[in-house]
Amino acid sequence: QKEVEQDPGPLSVPEGAIVSLNCTYSNSAFQYFMWYRQYSRKGPELLMYTYSSGNKEDGRFTAQVDKSSKYISLFIRDSQPSDSATYLCAMITDSWGKLQFGAGTQVVVTP
Amino acid sequence: GAVVSQHPSWVICKSGTSVKIECRSLDFQATTMFWYRQFPKQSLMLMATSNEGSKATYEQGVEKDKFLINHASLTLSTLTVTSAHPEDSSFYICSATSGRAGGDTQYFGPGTRLTVL
């Protein structure tokens, strides 16, 4: 079993819809959670960084963490074609900041 | 802030030659840098963790004599692919953190696409 599970998609939504992404993890020691966006042939870009259980909002993005269920989510409101990318969840696994990534979910927002 | 650059962005080389990729943190001191490779439609695979002034720690299955990593300063790490072969063709991405204990985030470079003919 992988430490971090993420559905690779693709997930196709119409413009303006809410995009819902999630990851599950198995190691209860994970405390820091991130969501990255990666466009084709580019490096990942940090979108959201969360520590505690609950919600964190930044513009059209909302990140949720449920440590009791080992489940994290990312919601994108009012999705735009420019949101079409691969979204990767990631968790810090040691004191040096080493990350464990999910497989990445490909999102396609159609006009 | 937190900008990481890579050079070159794209390189083609002949089989058997060596290629050096540079990773720089432009506006912060990176005590720790990470090197990843990524194949098409796959997630990032960590190759090694590099701490300034010390030897890199390689992940299982990564040949340290083939992928030489040097982290000589707080803003520069290099990855040298020695005696490159076509199967080394991939997208190589570096990232950097300021290395504070606990939950420091990684900031990624734009990646380097290596094609070995």
Side-chain angles (χ1 to χ4, degrees), chain A:
Chain A
Q1 181 189 5
K2 294 180 181 178
E3 282 197 297
V4 180
E5 297 279 358
Q6 183 178 10
D7 187 335
L11 177 63
S12 183
V13 299
E15 183 176 357
I18 295 175
V19 176
S20 176
L21 304 165
N22 58 75
C23 290
T24 58
Y25 60 97
S26 57
N27 191 334
S28 58
F30 291 161
Q31 297 184 58
Y32 301 92
F33 308 92
M34 278 141 282
W35 285 95
Y36 286 88
R37 176 176 63 194
Q38 186 178 24
Y39 292 111
S40 181
R41 301 185 179 221
K42 300 290 184 182
E45 171 193 8
L46 180 66
L47 286 178
M48 299 289 280
Y49 172 80
T50 55
Y51 168 66
S52 57
S53 286
N55 293 359
K56 180 177 181 179
E57 191 173 314
D58 184 0
R60 295 186 296 115
F61 300 93
T62 300
Q64 286 185 351
V65 174
D66 182 347
K67 290 188 178 180
S68 62
S69 301
K70 301 191 187 66
Y71 188 90
I72 67 171
S73 301
L74 178 71
F75 300 97
I76 308 174
R77 291 183 299 281
D78 188 26
S79 59
Q80 305 294 313
S82 58
D83 294 325
S84 298
T86 296
Y87 291 80
L88 298 134
C89 64
M91 296 155 200
I92 293 180
T93 63
D94 66 15
S95 59
W96 291 112
K98 182 176 170 181
L99 289 177
Q100 180 69 55
F101 281 95
T105 300
Q106 183 186 0
V107 173
V108 178
V109 181
T110 55

Side-chain angles (χ1 to χ4, degrees), chain B residues 9-84:
Chain B
S9 56
W10 179 56
V11 58
I12 300 175
C13 69
K14 293 182 179 180
S15 185
T17 61
S18 294
V19 174
K20 179 183 282 189
I21 302 170
E22 291 187 350
C23 177
R24 293 181 185 272
S25 57
L26 298 185
D27 53 1
F28 66 102
Q29 294 187 329
T31 52
T32 305
M33 287 184 168
F34 302 85
W35 286 95
Y36 297 83
R37 65 188 298 183
Q38 187 177 33
F39 293 104
K41 298 191 184 298
Q42 293 188 24
S43 191
L44 286 77
M45 183 189 81
L46 180 65
M47 299 175 67
T49 302
S50 169
N51 294 301
E52 186 265 339
S54 61
K55 291 184 178 180
T57 302
Y58 291 81
E59 294 298 301
Q60 191 173 8
V62 177
E63 300 175 60
K64 62 180 180 181
D65 294 330
K66 180 168 186 61
F67 299 99
L68 302 179
I69 292 171
N70 183 277
H71 192 161
S73 77
L74 286 172
T75 60
L76 173 65
S77 177
T78 60
L79 167 67
T80 301
V81 183
T82 61
S83 186

